[in-house]
Amino acid sequence: MNELTCTCVPRLDGVSGADLGRLFPEPSSTAALLPLLQESRIEGFNLRSIVVSKNGAPILLLPLFESRFDLSAFASGWIKRSLKAAGRLVPSIFRPRILGVGLLVGEWSEIGIDPHIDAGILEAAWNMALGALQTLATELKSDIVAFYNFNHHGKLPGQVFKSFNQVQCLPCARLPITFGSLEEYLSCLSRAARKDLRRKMRVSPEVRVVRSRDIAPFLDRIHRLYVETVERCPMAFGVHNRLFFEKICERVPGAEYMLYFVQEELAAFNLLVVKNEAMVDKYFCMDYEVGRKYNLYFLSWLENVRYCVEQKIPLYHAGPGAEKTKAHLGATSIPSLILFKHRRPAVDRFLMDRQALIEEILRYLGFWPAVPAGGGNTK
């Protein structure tokens, strides 16, 4: 007997720790991240999950977030004033309430799936979960249902790709560690890139680097650097509270900080998750003026490459953003998507028919960075 049940749970970590580990198996860090995100919260977001169980055992988990997305918050000047006015007139488009599937941290979102479930039962579970998602969207009066930041490995069923609109999200950078030394890595780059990096490395004796999982003495400074970095971003979707940075090394296996000091002042930090399979770059945040003067972004990149080489870690996942810079440093891009559907059929048809135009408008307004062909990324 294969009895399936579906529930909407008012928590992001809607099942036990053991079940989370089964649904999000290693090397994924999602099983550890979900309880931390639930505890630390994300300002302006309500967190939930949809869980499908077979005979009482969870087999499918969709992490959810709900928020109102005010486009005017990411603009300035006349554009901000225009969007505020448009938001009052047509809130479902310019200030929509969003019900999202996915995670607001990490490289890509993941769906929790029992790895031992057969295809037929999984298909039935997905049908129940998508039905529950639409019911919840109706109850919450959500304007848009979205699958946020998924790539081609995201385990989404074909019906999602067929029935939802798609726009490109920031791609994520990846650097395979195929070299045996930092010098060999540099030799793989273009002549201009090698020359540029060697010039930037001259300031490294003035920078003190500390690898640590105990950041209590620097927590206030770390959170301030994070907030300042978010404020500089053209489009930041969700802001973590201080507790997230305080607890992540305690909760997430492999999480650690690289701290960069200039004249004994913490000028930058890099939050990493380091495992045998890969190093994952979660956040790089810095004092803008000091960081530019001492080339801290590039020094952190080289430090991460050096560590991967020494520890024989085969992949450096460098996260989204700074596409051109990361391509310059030898990384390649893996595309990401946002799949979405508007609750009003007429609006949804308009968005479906004019996806390229919508992307161009978002990029023009500064909400969405340009995605170059063959792209790159940012930390």
Side-chain angles (χ1 to χ4, degrees), residues 70 72 78-91 94-95:
D70 187 350
S72 70
W78 68 269
I79 295 178
K80 186 180 187 74
R81 293 191 295 272
S82 299
L83 288 172
K84 276 190 172 295
R88 289 191 292 270
L89 294 172
V90 195
F94 295 98
R95 198 169 174 266

Side-chain angles (χ1 to χ4, degrees), residues 225-298:
L225 290 172
Y226 164 73
V227 170
E228 290 173 355
T229 301
V230 169
E231 289 172 349
R232 292 195 300 269
C233 290
M235 184 174 180
F237 198 35
V239 180
H240 293 294
N241 291 314
R242 188 173 180 272
L243 186 64
F244 175 83
F245 296 95
E246 178 183 2
K247 296 291 186 181
I248 188 167
C249 290
E250 175 187 323
R251 303 291 182 81
V252 177
E256 58 185 39
Y257 286 87
M258 293 297 295
L259 307 176
Y260 293 83
F261 293 87
V262 175
Q263 297 177 355
E264 297 308 309
E265 177 75 15
L266 181 61
F269 75 88
N270 197 181
L271 176 57
L272 307 166
V273 176
V274 183
K275 299 188 177 182
N276 293 333
E277 298 82 4
M279 171 187 282
V280 179
D281 195 329
K282 293 293 187 184
Y283 293 106
F284 177 82
C285 302
M286 70 181 186
D287 179 298
Y288 184 72
E289 296 300 329
V290 177
R292 284 178 62 86
K293 180 178 178 179
Y294 288 89
N295 307 315
L296 295 184
Y297 176 83
F298 296 94

